[in-house]
Amino acid sequence: MTPREVVEFAKKNKAVMVDMRFMDFPGVWQHFSVPVNVLEVSLFEDGLGFDGSSIRGWQAINNSDMLVIPDPDSAYMDPFCEHPTLTLICNVIDPITREHYSRDPRYIAQKAEAYLKSTKIADTIYMGPEAEFFVFDDVRYEQNEHCGFYYIDSVEGQWNTGRDEKPNLGYKPRYKEGYFPVPPVDTFQDLRTEMVLTMQKCGIQIEAQHHEVATAGQNEIDMRFNTLTAIADSMLIYKYIVKMVARKHNKTATFMPKPIFGDNGSGMHVHQSLWKGGKALFAGNEYAGLSQMALYYIGGILKHAPALAALTSPTTNSYRRLVPGFEAPVNLAYSSRNRSASIRIPMYSASPKAKRVEVRFPDASCNPYLAFSAMLMAGLDGVENKIDPGAPLDKDIYDMKPEELTDIPSLPASLDEALTHLENDKDFLLKGGVFTEDVLETWITYKRTKEVDAMRLRPHPHEFNLYYDI
């Protein structure tokens, strides 16, 4: 839409408020609202001011004034507000220089797409994330100087088979057996459908929805692929809708990668393909019907995966999921059809347009603008430098003996380790000014001080089981 069309769209839908949304540095949507009379064509050039020093990882307090500039193509009506509200996704700029703010994650995604075009390798990157999430009935947690605990519950939880629910109706998915059972075992069919219908009203195309592997309400809704910045925008709308529909039904949704011990965590497999002039570039005559370009792209992802993990799996909790020998693909190998490899080549369709690679180690705790941009930059580095991904691994990695895995590299074992890899392997992200030294240094410092060190300083509840009597 043009700015003028947005104004007319707001009038047609009788909007009374306009919600301005933008992304903070770690990856949580922020917003403020203004009355609809503020919505004029000039707003899309002049913007609105806010305090950048109050946003995590952003400006110092002596340099706090920032502007949001709404993107007219992002306009949609919020499906949850009691009063009709138009939502606009914004870019962030400096009010003095009128330049894009270097730490605005959306700007980094836009620069990544511009850099792709400048390379002449391709003009479009399509990405299709498959985000998993849990829907719980209750969550409680606390952490202070003398205690720390969490407690989650779900009517679907296998641990509740013996609870007096007046009556307990059974049909609770067994651990690791929640994938695809029909109702009444799957109690979330209608809830997911409501999420899907709401997403469609907001302009997001959906391909499928289903229960996921874990007990206690693990779900997945798959969006149709789109270009990098657009799909990152959609990912934020997706997460917002999942959480709000759950809340509407007095439930709570989380994209935390590993909330339950002893069952599968939640990942976000990301399908990727390069195109040029409307032609798919990943189809060819090499392994699994890939082109040589696609193999080099895989080579770049595998080479830089330890550094990428700091952006694609960016929480300490991510590494409760990425544990060798369990369900998440931590070994850096590629394969067709084999879901135990960290990169898979889906074989559902013979169409060249459907040929893509699926990166399986990210999770939806990431900032999608940063994670998607970083994967593109790693893949492009592979293409530009003809990085050989090595031989594919078609064995089930989970059944291989330890000695067979010695030559297969793996992802970092912790966020701290991933951040160290990012410190030592960042040049591929700096190409074309897509990421900057300031952005990466700020990310590493923020993650170390606010998350890694914060976890180190606190005793874990299980440590009392292990050590209290020593």
Side-chain angles (χ1 to χ4, degrees):
M1 284 191 274
T2 66
R4 193 168 300 280
E5 287 171 336
V6 173
V7 173
E8 292 303 314
F9 178 75
K11 290 179 181 177
K12 178 182 176 181
N13 287 279
K14 300 180 180 179
V16 297
M17 295 296 290
V18 181
D19 202 41
M20 316 292 281
R21 299 198 179 184
F22 59 97
M23 191 61 145
D24 76 359
F25 205 51
V28 176
W29 235 4
Q30 309 292 309
H31 82 129
F32 66 90
S33 301
V34 296
V36 75
N37 62 280
V38 176
L39 183 66
E40 299 178 352
V41 172
S42 60
L43 177 66
F44 293 86
E45 184 174 341
D46 298 338
L48 291 170
F50 72 100
D51 176 8
S53 69
S54 296
I55 305 301
R56 296 181 300 171
W58 276 16
Q59 294 289 77
I61 197 165
N62 62 317
N63 228 358
S64 60
D65 289 354
M66 303 293 287
L67 288 176
V68 290
I69 303 292
D71 181 344
D73 286 330
S74 71
Y76 70 95
M77 294 300 296
D78 188 289
F80 302 105
C81 291
E82 180 180 350
H83 306 288
T85 300
L86 175 74
T87 296
L88 292 166
I89 300 175
C90 302
N91 296 312
V92 181
I93 69 168
D94 186 291
I96 306 300
T97 65
R98 304 294 298 187
E99 293 180 351
H100 284 272
Y101 181 43
S102 64
R103 294 185 196 172
D104 175 12
R106 194 169 192 258
Y107 177 46
I108 292 170
Q110 292 166 337
K111 286 192 291 181
E113 291 189 281
Y115 175 73
L116 170 63
K117 293 179 181 178
S118 75
T119 65
K120 309 298 183 185
I121 292 171
D123 54 36
T124 305
I125 173 76
Y126 285 119
M127 292 193 167
E130 298 175 342
E132 298 165 343
F133 56 92
F134 280 90
V135 176
F136 297 133
D137 292 294
D138 187 39
V139 58
R140 290 179 282 126
Y141 49 89
E142 185 174 354
Q143 179 70 62
N144 54 43
E145 291 78 7
H146 71 282
C147 75
F149 76 92
Y150 68 89
Y151 180 86
I152 55 178
D153 204 4
S154 166
V155 71
E156 268 201 3
Q158 173 67 197
W159 58 82
N160 282 326
T161 55
R163 184 171 69 175
D164 184 3
E165 296 178 343
K166 304 184 188 307
N168 188 323
L169 301 179
Y171 297 118
K172 302 180 191 301
R174 287 178 286 273
Y175 297 108
K176 298 184 180 294
E177 293 187 25
Y179 196 66
F180 281 20
V182 298
V185 176
D186 176 6
T187 66
F188 288 97
Q189 173 69 16
D190 289 339
L191 189 75
R192 290 193 306 270
T193 296
E194 183 175 342
M195 292 171 179
V196 168
L197 295 176
T198 307
M199 290 174 190
Q200 290 174 327
K201 287 180 182 177
C202 295
I204 299 175
Q205 290 183 282
I206 301 298
E207 293 190 334
Q209 57 101 331
H210 58 84
H211 203 288
E212 256 298 338
V213 173
T215 190
Q218 190 182 38
N219 298 275
E220 178 176 314
I221 298 173
D222 298 335
M223 293 186 289
R224 183 172 174 78
F225 63 87
N226 207 336
T227 54
L228 193 155
T229 303
I231 200 67
D233 287 344
S234 294
M235 191 69 233
L236 299 181
I237 300 171
Y238 171 109
K239 292 176 74 172
Y240 173 67
I241 289 171
V242 165
K243 293 175 181 178
M244 290 297 288
V245 170
R247 184 179 179 88
K248 176 182 172 183
H249 292 271
N250 203 31
K251 296 179 182 290
T252 176
T254 181
F255 291 85
M256 185 176 176
K258 189 72 173 182
I260 295 178
F261 166 67
D263 211 335
N264 282 29
S266 294
M268 183 180 69
H269 308 151
V270 184
H271 297 251
Q272 307 172 37
S273 63
L274 293 176
W275 290 58
K276 187 174 185 179
K279 180 183 177 182
L281 301 180
F282 276 8
N285 299 315
E286 304 295 329
Y287 173 78
L290 293 175
S291 64
Q292 185 62 59
M293 178 186 290
L295 289 174
Y296 288 147
Y297 189 95
I298 291 171
I301 296 285
L302 292 176
K303 176 183 177 181
H304 298 298
L308 285 176
L311 294 161
T312 63
S313 310
T315 65
T316 59
N317 187 252
S318 298
Y319 298 86
R320 312 293 189 197
R321 168 180 169 260
L322 296 171
V323 177
F326 292 87
E327 80 276 1
V330 300
N331 295 287
L332 297 176
Y334 72 102
S335 177
S336 68
R337 305 178 68 182
N338 185 354
R339 283 174 165 80
S340 68
S342 59
I343 297 181
R344 184 177 76 94
I345 297 89
M347 303 298 288
Y348 297 125
S349 172
S351 170
K353 293 183 177 180
K355 189 55 64 179
R356 60 199 187 274
V357 302
E358 176 192 8
V359 183
R360 296 177 60 80
F361 54 81
D363 64 65
S365 71
C366 71
N367 185 324
Y369 298 113
L370 302 184
F372 297 165
S373 298
M375 285 187 282
L376 170 62
M377 296 301 289
L380 287 177
D381 187 62
V383 175
E384 290 172 319
N385 292 294
K386 296 182 169 56
I387 298 174
D388 184 357
L393 187 64
D394 290 327
K395 293 181 180 180
D396 183 347
I397 295 173
Y398 301 135
D399 287 339
M400 293 175 66
K401 298 177 181 178
E403 56 269 25
E404 295 180 279
L405 293 170
T406 54
D407 294 330
I408 302 174
S410 62
L411 287 165
S414 68
L415 177 57
D416 192 31
E417 187 180 334
L419 292 168
T420 299
H421 280 287
L422 181 58
E423 284 178 316
N424 297 328
D425 180 24
K426 59 186 177 182
D427 289 348
F428 72 98
L429 295 171
L430 300 174
K431 291 181 180 178
V434 174
F435 288 80
T436 64
E437 289 277 6
D438 172 68
V439 162
L440 295 177
E441 288 172 6
T442 302
W443 180 264
I444 291 167
T445 300
Y446 181 91
K447 286 286 174 178
R448 283 223 167 101
T449 57
K450 301 293 186 181
E451 299 178 30
V452 173
D453 289 346
M455 284 293 295
R456 280 176 175 162
L457 289 167
R458 288 163 171 81
H460 188 284
H462 189 56
E463 289 178 319
F464 285 82
N465 288 334
L466 293 173
Y467 307 127
Y468 188 77
D469 61 345
I470 62 175

